[in-house]
Amino acid sequence: MSLLLSEPTMNNLVLTEEHQGVLTITLNRSMKKNAINAAMYKSLCEHLTYANESAHIHCLLIQGDENCFTAGNDFAESGNEEELSAFVFIEQLATFSKPIVAAVAGPVVGIGTTLLLQCDMIIAANNSKFILPFAHLGICLEAGASLLLPLKVGLNRAFELAVLGAPFTAEQAYQYGIVNQVCQPNEVIAKALNVAQTIAKLPADSVQTSRRLMRQSTDKLMLDVINSEKSEVTRLLKTEYCQSMLTKFS
């Protein structure tokens, strides 16, 4: 796997490595708990475009490290540029045509959790802590989660997770059907890579066709849902309550 650098610069906040048909994307901002800023969103978008257009890439793997996936958006650096970059990333992730595997551990906050709903398989370390803090921040779900979360966990559970915003564990995420496997932290990266490589070795046309067919009912609605979420997030970010909450991160 890609080696994580102890002091990442702006140029290596997102690392990539190709191996056996898998493009691995590693969030590499450990000093900020992999909080995603505008530069990282732009980098993620570039890598998604590359993977989607490269015939030799058959599967995408998104990961942090065994201690942290992501603390979500970097509100300390939030602004119009980051908002735009985040929405572009969400749209690209939702329309990505190849299988996506994720390896998560430690904090899995906000978009860290909602982006998983766009993935096909998720391996979670048992130290994972999932949280959807949107209502507490005065904003709403994004990344298509307002459609996908109720489909996965049921409407009442989705409301509980998204509105009350209580943290939940990897075991709970497994019970809810959000993740596929739970393992030890020191196993999560290797297990996820093994899953991604197993997928990548299968006939790409067959895999991508099966994926497309299984997703066709939600895909017809997805971009409309994402656009509605985008409109509401943009509106809510301007409210007095949300602004007062976000100042705590600056």
Side-chain angles (χ1 to χ4, degrees):
M1 301 303 295
S2 299
L3 295 177
L4 301 185
L5 305 180
S6 58
E7 297 183 359
T9 68
M10 292 300 290
N11 293 325
N12 58 30
L13 296 178
V14 177
L15 304 178
T16 61
E17 184 176 12
E18 296 181 30
H19 188 59
Q20 296 183 6
V22 177
L23 178 68
T24 300
I25 296 177
T26 303
L27 304 178
N28 184 44
R29 198 186 183 202
S30 58
M31 81 292 290
K32 295 288 188 178
K33 295 184 179 179
N34 289 339
I36 308 174
N37 60 17
M40 294 172 72
Y41 276 122
K42 289 180 180 179
S43 181
L44 288 167
C45 289
E46 291 172 359
H47 298 316
L48 285 176
T49 298
Y50 169 78
N52 218 24
E53 295 177 353
S54 299
H56 65 285
I57 300 296
H58 297 161
C59 187
L60 183 72
L61 172 59
I62 303 175
Q63 64 182 25
D65 60 35
E66 64 185 38
N67 298 308
C68 181
F69 184 53
T70 175
N73 284 312
D74 187 347
F75 290 111
E77 297 186 15
S78 62
N80 292 334
E81 183 183 10
E82 181 172 3
E83 290 169 29
L84 179 60
S85 299
F87 291 134
V88 173
F89 166 70
I90 287 168
E91 290 180 5
Q92 285 194 232
L93 190 69
T95 56
F96 193 76
S97 64
K98 300 175 183 180
I100 307 172
V101 177
V104 302
V108 190
V109 180
I111 194 169
T113 295
T114 57
L115 74 81
L116 299 180
L117 302 175
Q118 298 287 352
C119 297
D120 300 286
M121 291 194 68
I122 299 101
I123 314 301
N126 59 16
N127 66 350
S128 299
K129 185 177 181 180
F130 301 81
I131 185 168
L132 298 168
F134 299 101
H136 291 272
L137 295 171
I139 51 179
C140 62
L141 290 173
E142 30 75 324
S146 58
L147 171 65
L148 297 177
L149 188 63
L151 288 177
K152 279 188 175 288
V153 308
L155 187 58
N156 287 18
R157 179 74 71 187
F159 183 89
E160 176 187 354
L161 298 178
V163 175
L164 296 185
F168 55 101
T169 66
E171 286 293 343
Q172 288 174 302
Y174 177 75
Q175 293 168 9
Y176 299 158
I178 294 174
V179 307
N180 296 83
Q181 297 180 34
V182 179
C183 63
Q184 295 296 319
N186 63 354
E187 300 174 326
V188 68
I189 300 298
K191 282 184 177 292
L193 178 60
N194 181 259
V195 168
Q197 289 179 338
T198 299
I199 293 170
K201 291 175 183 176
L202 296 170
D205 190 1
S206 173
V207 170
Q208 291 173 32
T209 299
S210 295
R211 182 182 190 268
R212 185 178 67 254
L213 291 171
M214 286 188 283
R215 288 170 168 256
Q216 62 183 339
S217 59
T218 54
D219 281 351
K220 291 176 181 178
L221 301 173
M222 185 57 64
L223 290 182
D224 286 341
V225 169
I226 288 173
N227 284 331
S228 294
E229 291 172 343
K230 176 181 178 179
S231 177
E232 295 298 341
V233 169
T234 301
R235 179 184 65 82
L236 289 167
L237 281 169
K238 298 174 183 177
T239 63
E240 183 178 349
Y241 179 84
C242 184
Q243 287 297 309
S244 67
M245 294 300 295
L246 297 185
T247 56
K248 297 179 181 180
F249 295 91
S250 58

